[in-house]
Amino acid sequence: MPLTASRYGKAQVRVMRLTRDGDHHTPRELSLTVLMTGAFDAAWTGGDNRACIATDSVKNIVNVVAAQNLSLDKEAFVEAVARTLLDTYPQVAELQVEGRETRWLRQTIAGAPHGHVFTLDGNGTAHVRLVARRDGAVLQSGLRNFTFMKTTRSGWADFVQDRYRTLADTTDRIAATAMDATWTWARMPADTAVTNARVLEVLMAVFGTTYSAGVQDSMYRMGEAVLDAVPEIAEIGFAMPNKHYIPIDLTPFGLENPGVVFLPTDEPHGQIEATIGRD
């Protein structure tokens, strides 16, 4: 039987490149699929892998190219990945590199673009819930899957130390989440659209301008600030999963990683939930 077509490679290679200019950061996040065609047929027809490049090596090349090209746009970045593979492996005849960009928009806080706080492009959905009874009703508004991130001024330290713990303390990490927030009205404001926008403004200002000792810490202070700012709200509840950005170890390739190249991952994730109410 003839082998009429074949290719292989690595899919869902996720990488975040972070350029740092003082307190002004720029994130560039991509998910790549790299597929190679070439002199690999013997791996299919004869169980002969001698010409094959490990797909793990393809992932490593993406990460090395990322570390060496922090500021390239996505078009130039995929070209750099392809050129590295073609220059390194003569058995590769053709490459297909596809990338899906996660676009982060710089957040405006207090009327000015913030240096290290971002929201996801095309972000979140508004939410409303009404429970109505003959003797009254409870109305809630909120947001679902509103995704935001700050690239510094967040940590996670001094948690339980035991034989199951492998995570190290950190006082400077990327903090990102896809938030569900629900606020319950004690009474209706004059303009719900304006008030809902104010809630989001307060949430982002607290998150973006204060140090976070953990999602729990930020969540509580964000809720307090909303209740202080909007007297019509009785309570606010949150569900905030961690979206992790793990620094990639580049030492096997003779490179340092001073907090500029990360593996984005959201499975498994920490799930943090709480409700903050009035006395």
Side-chain angles (χ1 to χ4, degrees):
M1 296 286 185
L3 178 68
T4 59
S6 64
R7 63 180 183 173
Y8 81 107
K10 200 75 163 178
Q12 290 292 93
V13 183
R14 300 177 66 183
V15 65
M16 162 80 88
R17 294 171 291 150
L18 185 64
T19 54
R20 299 174 180 260
D21 183 9
D23 196 44
H24 188 275
H25 298 176
T26 302
R28 295 177 175 88
E29 183 175 345
L30 286 170
S31 179
L32 298 182
T33 296
V34 182
L35 294 173
M36 301 174 289
T37 303
F40 309 118
D41 286 3
W44 275 267
T45 60
D48 183 348
N49 296 326
R50 285 176 295 175
C52 285
I53 304 147
T55 63
D56 191 63
S57 299
V58 175
K59 176 207 70 179
N60 291 338
I61 284 172
V62 170
N63 292 336
V64 168
V65 172
Q68 295 172 335
N69 299 275
L70 294 177
S71 300
L72 290 185
D73 61 28
K74 62 184 182 300
E75 289 79 10
F77 182 72
V78 297
E79 288 179 348
V81 170
R83 178 50 52 195
T84 301
L85 282 159
L86 290 171
D87 288 348
T88 304
Y89 302 110
Q91 64 270 46
V92 177
E94 180 180 294
L95 279 164
Q96 177 177 294
V97 185
E98 291 192 12
R100 185 180 70 252
E101 182 181 22
T102 299
R103 298 206 305 167
W104 293 101
L105 306 178
R106 195 172 300 278
Q107 176 73 16
T108 296
I109 296 178
H114 199 278
H116 57 257
V117 179
F118 306 87
T119 57
L120 187 68
D121 192 14
N123 199 8
T125 55
H127 178 77
V128 64
R129 177 193 293 131
L130 175 67
V131 178
R133 301 183 182 91
R134 295 188 182 277
D135 59 351
V138 176
L139 180 65
Q140 296 176 316
S141 299
L143 291 166
R144 294 293 178 267
N145 200 39
F146 187 81
T147 302
F148 51 93
M149 168 180 75
K150 62 181 175 182
T151 51
T152 189
R153 299 200 68 200
S154 173
W156 178 246
D158 297 328
F159 48 96
V160 170
Q161 176 68 61
D162 62 13
R163 67 191 184 95
Y164 297 109
R165 172 177 160 172
T166 60
L167 194 64
D169 284 355
T170 181
T171 56
D172 188 10
R173 65 172 184 171
I174 292 176
T177 187
M179 175 185 71
D180 288 352
T182 304
W183 45 97
T184 301
W185 300 103
R187 62 184 184 276
M188 294 310 299
D191 189 321
T192 53
V194 169
T195 306
N196 287 337
R198 174 63 177 151
V199 170
L200 181 57
E201 179 184 22
V202 170
L203 291 173
M204 293 306 301
V206 174
F207 176 78
T209 61
T210 62
Y211 180 80
S212 173
V215 175
Q216 294 91 330
D217 172 51
S218 285
M219 179 186 289
Y220 182 74
R221 290 184 292 104
M222 290 161 69
E224 277 192 316
V226 166
L227 295 179
D228 285 342
V230 185
E232 296 90 346
I233 292 177
E235 66 178 22
I236 182 168
F238 298 96
M240 293 170 64
N242 273 320
K243 296 173 71 68
H244 297 291
Y245 289 83
I246 301 169
I248 294 173
D249 181 11
L250 298 172
T251 54
F253 316 107
L255 297 172
E256 295 183 356
N257 183 9
V260 292
V261 183
F262 300 86
L263 171 64
T265 179
D266 48 21
E267 293 181 358
H269 61 248
Q271 181 73 18
I272 299 94
E273 301 183 5
T275 300
I276 299 93
R278 299 186 183 277
D279 292 334

